[in-house]
Amino acid sequence: MASKVIVIGPVEGGFPAILDKVSKLHSKNSFSLAIFLGDFFGDPETSSDENDANVSALINGKITIPLPTYFTLGKHPLPGPVIEKLEKSEDELCPNLYFLGKRSTTKTSEGIRIVNLGGSLDPTITAGLSKEKYLPFHTEGDAKALRGANSADILLTSHWPSDVRKGSKIVLPDGIETPTGEQCVADLCSALRPRYHFCTSNDAFYEREPFFNPPSEKEPDAKPITRFISLASSNNATKQKALYAFSIDPTSSVPITLPPAKSNHIPASPLPKTATTIVPTNVPATTAPDTHLPALKTASSASPTPP
């Protein structure tokens, strides 16, 4: 059975207004869950009294969240009071709001499998797993460990995968440069072959053409499709899309299809043996069981969904 999901770009402390907006959208669309990418909270070093009051209200359950909602790590560490609460409550910050951690695999009650890698690559750690759960840094070891999940319906990362734009005809908005990618994120995406890969790009929205993943040994006739989508921050100056809604059926089978004859193979950077070459293509509707939802009616300055 298909479930409706809404994904929101970084709100950087502006969560009261965005949560209210999501609540109104939920009342009309009945989402199964919401996911906040990047920084849900602002930088603790520059936090204002108003931000601190909002954090306190959230932790104490004074802000209503009507559906299961998940948040991740971005570029800032979490506020001290948030860490203190999470340590005591097994990552449930308040009713219906859950921290996905830095490195995690989650299966929702609808059966949706979410794999999350939060934060930025820590160049000072060359081997092993990161020890600090709440700091916004991960290691190549963290990314490698997540490959053990084997598959994902939704992959969440703070950074783009390296070379994801190779072979794509979709351009970024004027004045926006391609965000720096991480090879370990590219390797993770290749290993998991998610249906959706979400990340953030601050001032721009970018949705690549869907691409086919080559078949695996277990499913030699199937070519799973990945949709790569990067959301802008909710307060971006150019009103780029910061919300994205779609439906997904985790029980639907992987399409058995071949890429069109004119598809080109992307010469990716050297990958481990478990990784695969990406084949980009515009995907015919008959091969894709998941669908984008109609545009949501909202007063948001950022367009919430693709057409």
Side-chain angles (χ1 to χ4, degrees), residues 6-267:
I6 184 168
V7 184
I8 304 97
V11 298
E12 299 182 355
F15 56 83
I18 302 301
L19 284 172
D20 181 64
K21 187 176 301 179
V22 170
S23 296
K24 292 176 181 177
L25 293 172
H26 174 59
S27 67
K28 298 178 181 179
N29 295 274
S30 298
F31 294 111
S32 296
L33 64 140
I35 300 171
F36 281 83
L37 300 174
D39 288 300
F40 187 75
F41 302 98
D43 186 352
E45 296 295 326
T46 58
S47 181
S48 65
D49 290 342
E50 180 182 3
N51 289 337
D52 292 343
N54 289 337
V55 169
S56 178
L58 184 69
I59 292 174
N60 292 313
K62 295 180 180 180
I63 297 177
T64 302
I65 302 176
L67 75 163
T69 301
Y70 302 86
F71 70 99
T72 66
L73 276 174
K75 60 185 177 182
H76 303 309
L78 298 178
V82 170
I83 295 175
E84 184 178 349
K85 177 64 181 291
L86 292 175
E87 288 177 336
K88 297 177 180 178
S89 61
E90 298 183 350
D91 293 334
E92 183 178 6
L93 186 60
C94 63
N96 268 342
L97 183 60
Y98 306 92
F99 178 51
L100 285 174
K102 177 184 300 185
R103 180 188 70 249
S104 65
T105 300
T106 303
K107 190 172 184 179
T108 72
S109 58
E110 297 81 14
I112 300 171
R113 190 173 177 84
I114 302 171
V115 175
N116 169 64
L117 179 67
S120 304
L121 182 65
D122 188 341
T124 65
I125 302 178
T126 57
L129 304 178
S130 57
K131 305 298 182 182
E132 298 293 337
K133 181 177 180 180
Y134 304 108
L135 291 181
F137 302 103
H138 61 252
T139 67
E140 290 188 356
D142 291 323
K144 289 179 180 178
L146 285 174
R147 292 186 214 162
N150 297 319
S151 65
D153 295 308
I154 300 173
L155 173 62
L156 309 174
T157 61
S158 296
H159 284 262
W160 283 32
S162 297
D163 299 324
V164 71
R165 291 192 64 212
K166 279 189 176 181
S168 173
K169 296 180 180 180
I170 306 297
V171 299
L172 285 167
D174 291 342
I176 301 297
E177 296 184 359
T178 301
T180 302
E182 293 183 4
Q183 185 58 46
C184 63
V185 172
D187 295 348
L188 179 60
C189 183
S190 294
L192 298 182
R193 308 189 303 170
R195 299 185 186 217
Y196 287 85
H197 181 178
F198 285 97
C199 64
T200 65
S201 42
N202 294 327
D203 295 326
F205 169 82
Y206 179 79
E207 181 175 8
R208 191 200 191 285
E209 304 95 331
F211 57 82
F212 288 90
N213 295 277
S216 64
E217 293 182 1
K218 292 183 179 180
E219 297 177 304
D221 297 321
K223 292 184 179 293
I225 297 164
T226 294
R227 293 175 171 85
F228 174 77
I229 299 149
S230 185
L231 295 178
S233 299
S234 62
N235 61 350
N236 74 88
T238 56
K239 300 182 180 180
Q240 293 284 303
K241 292 180 182 179
L243 290 87
Y244 191 99
F246 64 101
S247 63
I248 184 170
D249 184 355
T251 65
S252 63
S253 59
V254 174
I256 298 177
T257 184
L258 293 175
K262 293 185 179 180
S263 295
N264 60 310
H265 293 259
I266 298 177

